[in-house]
Amino acid sequence: MESIGWGKRRTRRLGILGAAALVVLTLAACGGGSSSNTTTNGGGTKVSGGTAHWAEAPQATPNYIFPFASFSYFSVANLTQFQELMFRPLYWFGQGQTPNLNESLSIANLPSYSNGGKTVKVTLKPYKWSNGEQVTPQDVIFWLNMMKVEKTIWAGYVPGTIPDDITSITTSGKTLTFQLSSNANSNWFTYNELSQITPMPMAWNLTGSGQVATCGTASFSSITTTTTKDSKGNDVLTPVSPEAKSCAAVYTYLDSQAKKISGYATSPLWSVVDGPWKLSNMDTSGNVTFVPNTKYSGPIKPTLSKFVELPYTSDNAEFNALAGNQVDLGYLPTQDIQSPATSSGSGPCDIKPGANNPRLSGYNIVPVFGWSINYFPYNFQSTGNGGQAGKIFSQLYFRQAFQTLVNQPLYIKKIDKGYGVPTYGPVPVCPNNKFATTTEESNPYAYNQQKAVNLLKSNGWDVKPGGTTTCADATKCGVPAGTPLSFDLQYAGGTTAIDQLMQGEKSSWAQAGIQVNLKSSTFDTVIGTATPCTATGSTPCGWELENWGGGWIFAPDYYPSGEDLFQTGASSNGGSYSNPQSDNLIKQTTQGNADLAAFENYVAKDLPVVWQPNALGVAEISKKLQGVGPPNPLLTLNPENWYFTK
Amino acid sequence: MTGYLIRRIGQAIIVVIGVILLTFLFTQIIPGGAARAALGQRATPSAIYRFNIENHYNVSVFQQFWIYIWNVLHGNLGQSFRQNQSVRSLIESKLPKTLVLVGLSTIFALIVAVPLGILQVIRRNKPVDYILTGVSFVGYSMPAFLLGQLLILWLAIDLHIFESAAPQGDTVWQILSDPRGWILPVFSLSAITIAGFSRYMRSSMMEQLTEDYIRTARAKGAGPSRVLFRHALRNALIPIITLLGLSLPAIVGGAIITETVFNYPGMGLLTTNAATQNDVQLLVGTTLVAAVATVIGNLVADLLYAVVDPRVRYS
């Protein structure tokens, strides 16, 4: 999912909930404040009521309310920082600074697996919608019915996975029983499949105002579709059964209603919520006001009387708002960090913030880890560099040399001012988590210039530090003699940090005679270019290296099993990395009982992409605001936990 | 005059269509196409295929162009898939903001710059002239973001006299009713414009004062004030009218830096973001608005020449 939050950098779509920017959170104690029921707390007197203001990331305003987002609206700003405040997903992820499943905030109990992982049982908790109706198993099926018909729309869809792998669903009381077509790894199915589901109320089962549909009440098995191929071989999904056609009509209606942003707060559709908040006002500029849902069934009821999200045009504008105490929870732009963070030496995740910016004395400064990795792809199919780029990238020794010249700790210290963590493999090393292995954490390719030079020399290259290395022995290089190590790297520029990082890495690669020609471009141009391609006839597959500056945030595929990114043919495998052993290891983590270790260690060493330092966001939290806790690595918001003190 | 007007409007329509066609052609070279730009990197081939069908991107560029023109003639400027709003509604919500910001700053700049330019001519080569010239150069060379940020830090954050952000309302009334919000951005933007306008005014007045008709007026006994304001000023305003005509696209197009610094999302930011985010429909829509403003600005300037200069007649 596209991640823009806590002010850092831009990552890709929800797998990319993410921004050249992590984000921005901000809220404040403006005293919209109402009543004042008070209790005591360690940090002062707890005040009931008040309005908290939170800063949205620049150019990342929420603009889509229907929790069945197409690719265009599949973003952190829309999902985790907007929709999920009102419409709770079946399972909630993020517990403290971990990405773990949070059973307490989920609207279902933990799933149980049997029959070798082919049967999954999910039991709902007694939640209610704000219109008084129960949240039922049929509300879950309503969402799955929709997905069955509109799966090409839903941005979380991966062919062969949910709903394709569900053969039947039965219900009994509050329990749903899923029968799957093949064995599923329980971690993977919970974290990557069930994680996508958001129950939908029957109040949405409409094809027009007052026109009740059959989609919402239909059984999963009654939804039938057919798939044909167009002239270019693309799948074209067509609803067949009346219930399936009804689902298509419901989607069209709800999507059309979701285009009326100014009408969200007064819509009879979107006012039916099961989350702790409901909209009281929203405009097209991104100003959003939430008020508590007084009928919320969850464990923690809101204390605040309002929660306001505010849009900003730039980092500067957001910083000015912070300095003026107009927001309670915001982010500190990198350029405004005055004292670098330090590490106590107990690991890369142990980051101690430096002193706060002197203009922000009313705030506490907190590093924000993201459940993300940062990288950029090689194009293994590239016809660049005289047709040899893809062939060079396919040589493991070259990728090892290239990666060995990336000095991540140095860039984190100098460019990110200490607010960064390294990426050494396909699983985030930070925040501390149960998935990262010691092999990955130990950095298999620590910076070593001489080692990189030796690797190239031993594989037939005539290394010319500061010049251009060329292939001297074709039998060892894997490419014709005379081929230069010269590549084009397009990156999403515009921020000082990424410009410095790219220049720094260019200099480092040049130490082994690897010439990298940098070209700064926009984020959208880079992601538009970094897509899988194959040269055909007169159509080249020209790009070589593309860096959009953020990598990937794991959401709602919280389990970093790699099938989205590194499996052969995956839509987000932009560089067309293909390795049977890696594919097999991924399969074992999704359909077998293997944990991530084997896959993770293999991919960390096989270097399908260039691992990059991952800049952190830096949150600024008003000292008057309590209950925020360590920011969630999935960038979700839980303002129901927040309260002011006096 | 009527014939001239008809000719100019005809030319304007051709220019606008030409600009739109060029913009359309440029959007064809977006990496990954409009679908990829709208749907993002994770989009599957099936999703891209469906998007292209639903939005007519599966037909030739010229067919797309004619569909667009047809829709424009029916008031439909398309849909921004990045912002989930129609292009028309986006422009309708941002244009008033920009009109207020750039319009007010232009008016303010004129009110200050014209008298300043005249004063410099009257006090030519005197200390006042030197001081105002120096101040103008400083103002003219001052980066907008620096001036804006300095004003915010000093007057808003430290002294709390003004707001650090411009008014966030969408209507002209909502904006104007919050002077603590709009004074700083208007002043910040006009400070730079004043410097330019006053330099033009000064040089234009000085040029007029060397003309034969001024000598004749003085020979006939006209006093200094009459020479200055009745004879020289009218002709000296002609370059300012040209500048004003050229300002219309800016008034509609927005002031990206001021909008960014003062958290005031107007047309400038809208257009820039459309360009950087490959938001094709929005980019073409804002280009259309800018093109129309440009031709109207030029037309209005030409017509005003005839008003202020009796020698100019369009017959």
Side-chain angles (χ1 to χ4, degrees):
Chain A
M1 125 159 104
E2 181 149 7
S3 121
I4 300 190
W6 300 93
K8 276 286 175 185
R9 65 177 55 146
R10 187 176 299 217
T11 43
R12 304 194 318 183
R13 305 257 158 191
L14 235 172
I16 301 180
L17 280 179
L22 269 181
V23 182
V24 178
L25 299 187
T26 309
L27 46 189
C30 264
S34 21
S35 48
S36 56
N37 174 20
T38 59
T39 56
T40 55
N41 178 285
T45 306
K46 181 177 180 179
V47 178
S48 180
T51 302
H53 296 80
W54 175 82
E56 297 165 5
Q59 318 310 329
T61 57
N63 60 15
Y64 197 81
I65 195 169
F66 180 27
F68 194 91
S70 65
F71 293 94
S72 298
Y73 311 116
F74 205 62
S75 65
V76 168
N78 278 327
L79 274 69
T80 53
Q81 296 172 352
F82 179 61
Q83 293 171 3
E84 291 178 4
L85 275 77
M86 299 171 282
F87 313 115
R88 286 304 209 210
L90 190 61
Y91 287 106
W92 188 269
F93 291 85
Q95 199 158 30
Q97 280 189 305
T98 77
N100 298 344
L101 192 156
N102 186 329
E103 188 180 4
S104 168
L105 294 181
S106 299
I107 62 175
N109 296 317
L110 290 180
S112 64
Y113 291 82
S114 58
N115 190 22
K118 289 181 79 171
T119 302
V120 185
K121 283 191 176 182
V122 171
T123 302
L124 300 181
K125 296 175 184 174
Y127 268 63
K128 283 187 175 180
W129 297 100
S130 56
N131 64 1
E133 293 179 1
Q134 293 279 340
V135 177
T136 68
Q138 190 61 41
D139 297 340
V140 175
I141 294 174
F142 185 12
W143 192 92
L144 285 163
N145 287 350
M146 180 78 71
M147 190 179 182
K148 207 170 179 184
V149 175
E150 300 291 358
K151 60 189 179 187
T152 57
I153 290 283
W154 171 243
Y157 173 66
V158 176
T161 63
I162 189 171
D164 301 344
D165 54 0
I166 299 175
T167 54
S168 70
I169 303 174
T170 54
T171 63
S172 172
K174 285 279 193 181
T175 300
L176 295 114
T177 303
F178 298 86
Q179 293 296 339
L180 308 182
S181 56
S182 57
N183 296 346
N185 179 292
S186 59
N187 269 332
W188 171 77
F189 198 79
T190 304
Y191 276 69
N192 285 8
E193 304 292 281
L194 295 175
S195 61
Q196 299 182 42
I197 299 172
T198 299
M200 301 199 299
M202 286 302 137
W204 296 359
N205 187 27
L206 302 170
T207 55
S209 181
Q211 298 169 36
V212 177
T214 55
C215 175
T217 53
S219 65
F220 184 72
S221 59
S222 69
I223 308 295
T224 56
T225 60
T226 180
T227 301
T228 55
K229 297 279 185 190
D230 73 344
S231 58
K232 293 182 179 176
N234 297 310
D235 287 342
V236 179
L237 193 69
T238 308
V240 174
S241 66
E243 292 83 358
K245 289 175 181 170
S246 170
C247 287
V250 171
Y251 173 80
T252 301
Y253 176 63
L254 295 178
D255 180 57
S256 71
Q257 295 302 300
K259 294 185 189 306
K260 300 173 181 173
I261 296 173
S262 300
Y264 282 178
T266 54
S267 165
L269 291 171
W270 313 128
S271 58
V272 179
V273 302
D274 62 352
W277 299 93
K278 61 181 182 180
L279 272 180
S280 76
N281 191 43
M282 181 166 177
D283 66 25
T284 54
S285 297
N287 293 287
V288 185
T289 303
F290 293 97
V291 293
N293 167 22
T294 54
K295 296 176 181 170
Y296 176 53
S297 315
I300 303 170
K301 320 292 187 214
T303 300
L304 301 170
S305 58
K306 282 184 185 173
F307 171 57
V308 176
E309 298 187 350
L310 298 170
Y312 290 95
T313 51
S314 63
D315 284 346
N316 260 356
E318 191 270 347
F319 178 79
N320 291 337
L322 275 176
N325 292 310
Q326 292 163 355
V327 290
D328 299 294
L329 208 166
Y331 69 98
L332 184 63
T334 304
Q335 62 269 26
D336 295 309
I337 296 172
Q338 297 203 345
S339 300
T342 53
S343 172
S344 66
S346 62
C349 309
D350 182 24
I351 293 174
K352 184 183 175 191
N356 208 346
N357 185 300
R359 285 192 174 273
L360 305 179
S361 57
Y363 295 86
N364 291 316
I365 185 170
V366 182
V368 183
F369 295 98
W371 186 230
S372 61
I373 55 175
N374 191 19
Y375 65 86
F376 65 82
Y378 300 100
N379 182 4
F380 290 93
Q381 296 293 322
S382 177
T383 53
N385 192 11
Q388 302 304 319
K391 291 174 186 167
I392 295 172
F393 296 152
S394 298
Q395 310 295 326
L396 177 59
Y397 72 81
F398 172 78
R399 302 199 299 275
Q400 290 171 331
F402 204 65
Q403 186 69 54
T404 302
L405 290 165
V406 177
N407 191 344
Q408 295 193 55
L410 177 70
Y411 299 134
I412 290 167
K413 183 178 178 184
K414 297 295 184 187
I415 298 174
D416 297 328
K417 300 178 183 175
Y419 290 97
V421 293
T423 303
Y424 296 142
V427 173
V429 172
C430 299
N432 289 317
N433 65 85
K434 60 186 179 184
F435 303 120
T437 62
T438 50
T439 299
E440 184 182 336
E441 287 172 343
S442 65
N443 186 11
Y445 300 106
Y447 175 77
N448 188 329
Q449 183 204 345
Q450 193 54 52
K451 189 174 178 183
V453 169
N454 292 343
L455 265 170
L456 292 174
K457 282 182 176 173
S458 62
N459 283 280
W461 292 86
D462 179 15
V463 177
K464 292 178 179 166
T468 303
T469 294
T470 53
C471 175
D473 184 347
T475 57
K476 289 184 177 176
C477 300
V479 293
T483 302
L485 287 181
S486 176
F487 307 103
D488 294 333
L489 195 169
Q490 180 173 246
Y491 70 99
T495 63
T496 306
I498 194 166
D499 288 337
Q500 289 178 339
L501 176 64
M502 289 291 88
Q503 289 296 341
E505 292 186 347
K506 175 186 166 85
S507 300
S508 188
W509 289 318
Q511 291 171 354
I514 303 172
Q515 291 301 315
V516 174
N517 310 306
L518 298 177
K519 180 185 174 189
S520 176
S521 194
T522 67
F523 173 80
D524 284 272
T525 296
V526 174
I527 65 163
T529 306
T531 55
C533 62
T534 306
T536 51
S538 60
T539 307
C541 176
W543 70 270
E544 297 168 20
L545 301 161
E546 296 284 330
N547 183 5
W548 54 90
W552 187 268
I553 288 184
F554 292 97
D557 45 349
Y558 306 103
Y559 194 59
S561 45
E563 73 274 17
D564 290 345
L565 304 179
F566 305 118
Q567 188 160 292
T568 301
S571 61
S572 296
N573 179 359
S576 303
Y577 170 72
S578 180
N579 182 322
Q581 190 167 348
S582 169
D583 288 347
N584 185 42
L585 291 169
I586 290 173
K587 190 175 179 182
Q588 289 175 33
T589 66
T590 58
Q591 296 182 15
N593 291 321
D595 61 17
L596 292 175
F599 149 76
E600 179 185 346
N601 293 342
Y602 181 81
V603 170
K605 291 179 179 174
D606 199 49
L607 301 168
V609 292
V610 185
W611 308 121
Q612 293 283 285
N614 199 2
L616 300 182
V618 182
E620 293 284 355
I621 304 171
S622 168
K623 289 177 178 172
K624 294 178 183 173
L625 187 68
Q626 302 294 317
V628 179
N632 186 303
L634 301 172
L635 307 180
T636 51
L637 294 175
N638 294 97
E640 61 272 21
N641 296 344
W642 304 349
Y643 57 91
F644 288 112
T645 56
K646 63 178 181 182
Chain B
M1 186 60 137
T2 307
Y4 172 79
L5 266 180
I6 292 172
R7 272 201 316 277
R8 289 297 305 270
I9 291 171
Q11 290 168 355
I13 291 171
I14 292 170
V15 168
V16 169
I17 290 176
V19 169
I20 298 302
L21 180 58
L22 276 177
T23 311
F24 240 91
L25 293 175
F26 283 129
T27 61
Q28 299 302 307
I29 59 174
I30 289 176
R36 181 67 69 181
L39 302 179
Q41 190 170 16
R42 193 168 176 155
T44 58
S46 296
I48 289 173
Y49 171 79
R50 181 169 171 170
F51 180 90
N52 285 335
I53 295 282
E54 290 173 351
N55 296 284
H56 309 294
Y57 286 115
N58 58 331
V59 299
S60 75
V61 62
F62 293 104
Q63 284 176 290
Q64 290 176 40
F65 178 68
W66 288 121
I67 291 169
Y68 182 77
I69 294 293
W70 179 257
N71 286 337
V72 168
L73 292 175
H74 289 79
N76 177 6
L77 296 179
Q79 179 78 9
S80 164
F81 295 99
R82 299 302 291 261
Q83 305 207 32
N84 192 27
Q85 294 174 66
S86 72
V87 171
R88 182 175 164 174
S89 70
L90 279 166
I91 291 173
E92 283 174 351
S93 67
K94 306 302 180 197
L95 195 53
K97 288 175 175 253
T98 291
L99 287 175
V100 170
L101 173 65
V102 192
L104 275 181
S105 69
T106 305
I107 292 168
F108 181 65
L110 270 181
I111 291 171
V112 175
V114 171
L116 268 186
I118 295 171
L119 179 63
Q120 286 183 266
V121 171
I122 294 170
R123 297 279 183 259
R124 183 159 46 124
N125 298 332
K126 301 263 174 62
V128 170
D129 185 24
Y130 294 137
I131 291 170
L132 289 176
T133 297
V135 171
S136 292
F137 284 145
V138 170
Y140 202 63
S141 56
M142 175 78 80
F145 70 88
L146 177 61
L147 178 61
Q149 191 62 33
L150 289 175
L151 289 172
I152 289 172
L153 289 175
W154 180 38
L155 296 173
I157 293 176
D158 291 342
L159 300 180
H160 304 290
I161 298 171
F162 298 106
E163 299 286 350
S164 62
Q168 299 298 303
D170 278 341
T171 67
V172 172
W173 173 246
Q174 285 173 332
I175 297 165
L176 290 178
S177 61
D178 182 10
R180 287 188 72 230
W182 62 254
I183 284 178
L184 274 193
V186 166
F187 176 77
S188 168
L189 192 56
S190 56
I192 294 156
T193 318
I194 287 170
F197 277 10
S198 66
R199 296 304 296 166
Y200 270 102
M201 193 65 210
R202 179 183 183 276
S203 61
S204 181
M205 279 291 276
M206 286 185 45
E207 187 182 335
Q208 293 303 319
L209 289 174
T210 62
E211 294 289 332
D212 290 345
Y213 73 90
I214 295 293
R215 191 182 309 120
T216 304
R218 284 179 177 145
K220 288 170 71 177
S225 297
R226 185 177 176 84
V227 167
L228 210 58
F229 294 108
R230 287 295 298 272
H231 296 283
L233 178 59
R234 193 168 174 181
N235 288 319
L237 283 175
I238 291 176
I240 299 295
I241 288 171
T242 306
L243 279 180
L244 277 179
L246 295 174
S247 296
L248 188 60
I251 290 173
V252 171
I256 169 71
I257 294 171
T258 307
E259 290 174 11
T260 301
V261 171
F262 286 94
N263 199 33
Y264 190 74
M267 288 294 290
L269 206 61
L270 188 72
T271 306
T272 308
N273 288 342
T276 57
Q277 297 175 347
N278 296 341
D279 195 338
V280 174
Q281 299 264 336
L282 182 55
L283 187 59
V284 177
T286 53
T287 304
L288 173 63
V289 172
V292 169
T294 303
V295 296
I296 290 177
N298 278 285
L299 183 58
V300 169
D302 285 352
L303 296 178
L304 283 177
Y305 291 151
V307 175
V308 298
D309 187 349
R311 294 169 300 180
V312 178
R313 288 289 178 266
Y314 300 114
S315 55

